[in-house]
Every structure is written in structure tokens, then in C-alpha cells.
């Protein structure tokens, strides 16, 4: 997979793309990222990329010419072009999985003041990472790269993202590691039992419990088995009785 980025701040990508899992994926050539400086397409002696908004108002607006000059060749080379913008479609796990299937992506980072409306015509889709405004699209682009690159085969163990939060539409179950007892709280004994079927049952139940407590909206939309539904009814009763655990939003 090859990802192109168009930005006024290429240096923002240096450290994140050299670090940890994504850094290793790039080093191993599983994912390729090319960062392009929009300023290279700036106009005139000052390589100007923005101008005052017609109609007046605060801030500067990115001009269409540099955006077209930077994006058009990427488009023609077959990239799926994505503009990071708070007005875009919300990034979800399902969208990340869909994008991970694209051989080429081009991510265009806007500035918070905005860009000329005519540039929207150049992009295949607009993506937002949540309902808040940022100073630029660079951090959202990094979020998208992280969410997508980890799904590229070989970047992490497949089992790891098959059991992710959201992958099955539910939040992940609690995890424990050593020590067995820490400051008065013990690891649930079932996890030490060596009984894989029991462990799997416990994890499913705790995943359902956590999702019911924290994101009941996800339970409505998740694909649940008959057994899951039976557990949900039980957990709802438990929660209604106030017999939840330390997770409860109502505590
Ligand atoms: C300038 O871009 C943003 O502020 C932005 C982009 C994508 N998602 C957001 N939530 C904000």
C-alpha cells in the first residue's frame, strides 16, 4: 500500500512515521508513505498558497491552484483522494478496513481557516476524525494512517485486529498480566485456569458487559448470537440491580 500526503507541514510526519509499529511497517516496506510539501506548488516568488476570503472575514483560505497542482498528478496515478476535514464522514473501524483495501491513498491536509470550495471537487471523499476542530488536517491524517496501516497484512498479527475493539462491533474485554495480585486486586481466576473454552466465554461476557456499560449504542448495532443475547438480558438485569463492577458509568 502506498499513501501520499499533501501538507504545508511535512515535518509533522517525521517522528510519528519513524516510530513503533508504523515505523517498522515502513521500514519493512509493507506500507510506503510519501509526504509532499504543498508549498512547492505555491505561487510567485513567495510561494504563496493562501489568500483573503472573498466576502471578507477572518483568516486565510488555501487557493485552488496549489491544491490542484499537488493533487491532480496523484489522482491520475490512481490514488483514492481523501480530504481531512471536520465536515467529512466520520472515520470508523469499518471505514479503516475499507481503506486498507485500497492500493493507493492520497491524504490532503487542510488548514482550519479553510480552503477554496472548488478544491472539494478534486477529492473522492472527505473524512473527519471526530466532532472537534483542529489547527490542520495533519494529526487527522496521522490518525488515519495509523488506523489503516495496522490493518495491512503483516503489520501486526492478524488475530490482534480480528479481536480488536469495534472489529466485532463490541468493545474489548479486560486484559491482565503479571502480577497475579496487585494492591489488593486479583486477576480473575478463570484466566489462570488454562481452560480455553471458559476463558473465551468469560471474555465474551466481559466484552458485552463493558459495551453495555460504556457504549450501549454499539450493542444495538452489533451482530449477536442467541447466546450473546441471553447474556445481554442477564447483564442488563445485573446492571439494573446496581450489581455492576467498577466500570459502571453510574457508580
Ligand atoms: C483542519 O482540519 C480539521 O480541523 C479536522 C480534520 C479532520 N477531522 C477533524 N475532526 C478536524
Amino acid at each position: 500500500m502506498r499513501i501520499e500526503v499533501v501538507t504545508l507541514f511535512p515535518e509533522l510526519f517525521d517522528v510519528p512515521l519513524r516510530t513503533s509499529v508504523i515505523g517498522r511497517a515502513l521500514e519493512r516496506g509493507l506500507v510506503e508513505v510519501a509526504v509532499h510539501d504543498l508549498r512547492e506548488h505555491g505561487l510567485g516568488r513567495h510561494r504563496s498558497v493562501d489568500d483573503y476570503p472573498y466576502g471578507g472575514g477572518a483568516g486565510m483560505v488555501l487557493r485552488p491552484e496549489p491544491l490542484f497542482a499537488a493533487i491532480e498528478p496523484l489522482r491520475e496515478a490512481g490514488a483514492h483522494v481523501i480530504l481531512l476535514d471536520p465536515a467529512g464522514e466520520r472515520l470508523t473501524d469499518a471505514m479503516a478496513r475499507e481503506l486498507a483495501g485500497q492500493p493507493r491513498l492520497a491524504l490532503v491536509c487542510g488548514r482550519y481557516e479553510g480552503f477554496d470550495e472548488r478544491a472539494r471537487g478534486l477529492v473522492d471523499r472527505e473524512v473527519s476524525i471526530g466532532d472537534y476542530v483542529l489547527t490542520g488536517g495533519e494529526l487527522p491524517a496521522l490518525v488515519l494512517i495509523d488506523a489503516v496501516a495496522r490493518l495491512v497484512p503483516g503489520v501486526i498479527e492478524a488475530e490482534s485486529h480480528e479481536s480488536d475493539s469495534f472489529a466485532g462491533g463490541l468493545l474489548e474485554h479486560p486484559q491482565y498480566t503479571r502480577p497475579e495480585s496487585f494492591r489488593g486486586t486479583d486477576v480473575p481466576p478463570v484466566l489462570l485456569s488454562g481452560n480455553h473454552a471458559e476463558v473465551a466465554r468469560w471474555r465474551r461476557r466481559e466484552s458485552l458487559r463493558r459495551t453495555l456499560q460504556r457504549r450501549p449504542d454499539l450493542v444495538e448495532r452489533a451482530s449477536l448470537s442467541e447466546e450473546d443475547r441471553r447474556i445481554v438480558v442477564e447483564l442488563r438485569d445485573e446492571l439494573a440491580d446496581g450489581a455492576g463492577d467498577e466500570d459502571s458509568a453510574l457508580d
Side-chain angles (χ1 to χ4, degrees), residues 83-88 109-115 127-138 140-141:
L83 174 69
L84 284 309
D85 187 80
C109 306
R111 302 305 301 163
Y112 73 98
E113 293 99 335
F115 43 84
V127 174
S128 162
I129 61 162
D131 290 342
Y132 38 85
V133 178
L134 297 162
T135 57
E138 285 77 11

Side-chain angles (χ1 to χ4, degrees), residues 85-154:
D85 187 80
E89 184 188 346
R90 183 80 62 88
L91 177 64
T92 60
D93 193 66
M95 191 198 287
R97 282 168 202 275
E98 188 190 322
L99 295 176
Q102 296 274 355
R104 293 190 71 153
L105 296 177
L107 309 180
V108 182
C109 306
R111 302 305 301 163
Y112 73 98
E113 293 99 335
F115 43 84
D116 189 282
E117 187 64 17
R118 291 164 288 191
R120 286 193 204 268
L122 262 179
V123 309
D124 295 299
R125 85 203 284 178
E126 299 175 24
V127 174
S128 162
I129 61 162
D131 290 342
Y132 38 85
V133 178
L134 297 162
T135 57
E138 285 77 11
L139 294 173
L142 282 166
V143 167
L144 193 149
I145 292 171
D146 194 288
V148 168
R150 64 188 286 286
L151 300 172
V152 169

